[in-house]
Amino acid sequence: MPKSDQKTWKQRWNSTVMETYGTPQLQLVRGKGAWAWDEQGNRYLDLLSGIAVNSLGHAHPAVVNAVREQVGELTHTSNIFSHPQVIDLAENIVSLVQEAASGTANPGDASEAKVFFANSGSEANEAAFKIARATGKRTILAAEKGFHGRTMGSLAMTGQPDKRAPFEPMPPGVDFFPYGDLVALKEKVAEHRGSVAAIIVESIQGETGVIPAPPGFLSGLREVCDAEDILLIVDEVQAGMGRTGQWFGFQSDNILPDVITLAKGLGGGMPIGACVATKRAQLLTKGMHGTTFGGNPVCAAAANAVISTLRQDNVLEQVRELGEYLSERLAQHTSVTQVRGRGLMLGVVLDRPLKINPVDFGLIVNCPKPDVIRIVPPLTLTRHEAEHGVQKILEMLDANAENSQPAQPTDHTHN
């Protein structure tokens, strides 16, 4: 093709890809660990990791080798057949759930947990939606400003009206309550007396600005669900798989949900989701749900490599240590009003919108709110990389302060 006729990658993107995301600002072509390179050879410290997906960073040898070996043997079986990688992964996930349940009031509830494999967090939450409806009751209570996906069932449970509005009417039977407000939640349960099948929440709301559940909130939900015969569904799509320094975000309140949904970091960059049901939530029987690609052997091999690496390399302890370091250092900047979250799932709340482009400072982060920087780096981030990231973020905040005025104080308690 003559040079004059060649299109830029942005032109090619805009002429062929639906406009659901707008035009990307970068085209990344290579990655290694916590670093990524664009097509011009510019290097960036990736503190977003594909929105909490690349849990072991880019091109981690354990994931690369697992995928390479499996794709050279068998790529797909469908759900008509089994595969060793899929069984191994189901056992690994059940083991993690049982480990998380060991210190709870009812550890036996995890003894017979089972897994349904999907391809994404949205699909895992679709399965959870169906589990709730399979109780025979029709109401699901979900948290305001929560995010559970963009398929119709998961979107119906997403507490962000602007995302639901273009596609209404939504599947019926979902009502919302303020995240973190047990009193309001109990009022909703009373309002729908006898018809509430499930309550679904994130242990940390990610897409709305990294907002952890207040201490005691999840345990309070557990008590309500036990008293009212309601299933408790906890969405761990973003906060799970070691992101907080524990396997699951709900462990902060020492409880065990009836249903747990996983995705993102589970596959270390490969597309996989999982819906885990304890014994009382195993309500989907033969023919009630299914998927063609869910539980793909290649993706399962990657997920097994992720779990093995997180265990063997004691990564969760490192996540806790680096999370504390990042929180303490970033909180010292005069533009930072709060650093919230746990482990390597942090929201840096600013006193003004961020109007500086992070890529100009060699950083990949994003802002789920104009005045909140989300930091969800690879769990394998090193101390040296964390120090470099802090330095660059502080430089970026200095530049932002010089070029903008503080905003009026905002209540970020439940935003």
Side-chain angles (χ1 to χ4, degrees):
M1 178 184 297
K3 211 168 201 181
S4 59
D5 294 336
Q6 289 181 349
K7 293 181 178 179
T8 67
W9 68 263
K10 287 188 178 182
Q11 291 171 326
R12 294 170 62 198
W13 172 283
N14 289 331
S15 66
T16 57
V17 179
M18 282 192 186
E19 298 179 5
T20 53
Y21 298 109
T23 305
Q25 59 179 317
L26 293 176
Q27 179 166 249
L28 300 178
V29 298
R30 182 168 63 90
K32 185 67 175 177
W35 299 92
W37 286 260
D38 66 18
E39 82 285 357
Q40 295 179 333
N42 300 309
R43 188 179 76 154
Y44 306 89
L45 182 62
D46 186 357
L47 299 180
L48 187 61
S49 60
I51 314 182
V53 168
N54 298 312
S55 48
L56 301 185
H58 299 284
H60 192 283
V63 174
V64 171
N65 292 336
V67 169
R68 179 184 290 128
E69 181 177 341
Q70 185 55 54
V71 81
E73 294 180 348
L74 188 66
T75 57
H76 178 69
T77 63
S78 84
N79 50 40
I80 297 174
F81 304 100
S82 176
H83 189 276
Q85 290 283 7
V86 178
I87 296 175
D88 287 348
L89 180 56
E91 290 176 343
N92 281 333
I93 292 174
V94 168
S95 176
L96 295 181
V97 172
Q98 291 173 343
E99 183 180 322
S102 61
T104 66
N106 300 299
D109 289 350
S111 61
E112 298 180 39
K114 292 186 178 181
V115 185
F116 174 84
F117 287 114
N119 306 284
S120 66
S122 289
E123 291 181 37
N125 285 324
E126 288 284 336
F129 192 110
K130 279 190 170 182
I131 289 172
R133 287 290 173 86
T135 63
K137 295 184 282 187
R138 287 293 174 262
T139 303
I140 297 172
L141 300 181
E144 293 176 358
K145 300 182 180 177
F147 183 83
H148 301 291
R150 294 180 184 271
T151 53
M152 290 300 282
S154 61
L155 184 59
M157 300 186 293
T158 290
Q160 300 179 32
D162 60 321
K163 289 185 172 64
R164 298 196 309 269
F167 308 104
E168 292 178 340
M170 289 283 102
V174 182
D175 201 357
F176 297 92
F177 63 93
Y179 186 66
D181 191 335
L182 275 175
V183 173
L185 177 278
K186 291 176 182 178
E187 290 174 353
K188 285 292 183 182
V189 171
E191 178 185 336
H192 297 281
R193 177 69 64 188
S195 71
V196 180
I199 298 170
I200 182 169
V201 295
E202 299 157 89
S203 59
I204 300 178
Q205 288 191 332
E207 296 302 312
T208 197
V210 189
I211 302 176
F217 176 62
L218 296 178
S219 57
L221 290 183
R222 180 70 276 174
E223 291 174 4
V224 170
C225 288
D226 288 342
E228 302 290 340
D229 190 28
I230 296 170
L231 295 179
L232 177 58
I233 304 169
V234 177
D235 180 334
E236 293 283 346
V237 168
Q238 191 165 153
M241 296 311 299
R243 173 74 33 202
T244 65
Q246 295 177 290
W247 286 110
F248 307 104
F250 61 74
Q251 289 180 258
S252 64
D253 254 19
N254 199 33
I255 60 119
L256 177 68
D258 300 300
V259 180
I260 304 160
T261 56
L262 301 168
K264 288 189 180 289
L266 174 61
M270 297 295 288
I272 189 168
C275 180
V276 188
T278 62
K279 185 176 181 179
R280 69 185 293 256
Q282 289 171 28
L283 303 174
L284 298 182
T285 58
K286 184 177 179 180
M288 292 180 70
H289 197 43
T291 170
T292 297
F293 289 101
N296 178 280
V298 178
C299 296
N304 283 321
V306 168
I307 294 173
S308 176
T309 301
L310 293 178
R311 280 194 181 281
Q312 292 175 8
D313 294 354
N314 200 25
V315 174
L316 270 59
E317 180 178 347
Q318 175 180 308
V319 169
R320 294 191 291 270
E321 292 174 355
L322 286 184
E324 291 176 4
Y325 167 75
L326 289 169
S327 296
E328 291 173 3
R329 290 284 285 115
L330 294 174
Q332 294 172 11
H333 196 278
T334 55
S335 292
V336 175
T337 63
Q338 181 187 7
V339 180
R340 58 195 179 203
R342 295 192 303 277
L344 292 179
M345 185 174 180
L346 301 175
V348 182
V349 185
L350 309 179
D351 64 356
R352 68 198 74 198
L354 184 68
K355 297 183 178 180
I356 298 292
N357 194 337
V359 301
D360 292 338
F361 292 81
L363 294 170
I364 297 177
V365 295
N366 84 324
C367 294
K369 297 284 185 179
D371 58 349
V372 179
I373 301 171
R374 174 166 49 180
I375 298 177
V376 282
L379 306 184
T380 52
L381 188 77
T382 67
R383 175 63 179 238
H384 177 72
E385 290 165 343
E387 292 171 352
H388 176 80
V390 165
Q391 176 188 342
K392 290 299 181 180
I393 292 172
L394 296 180
E395 290 176 7
M396 178 178 69
L397 295 181
D398 285 342
N400 193 60
E402 292 175 1
N403 291 281
S404 61
Q405 295 296 317
Q408 292 297 316
T410 302
D411 179 7
H412 285 282
T413 306
H414 300 299
N415 72 346

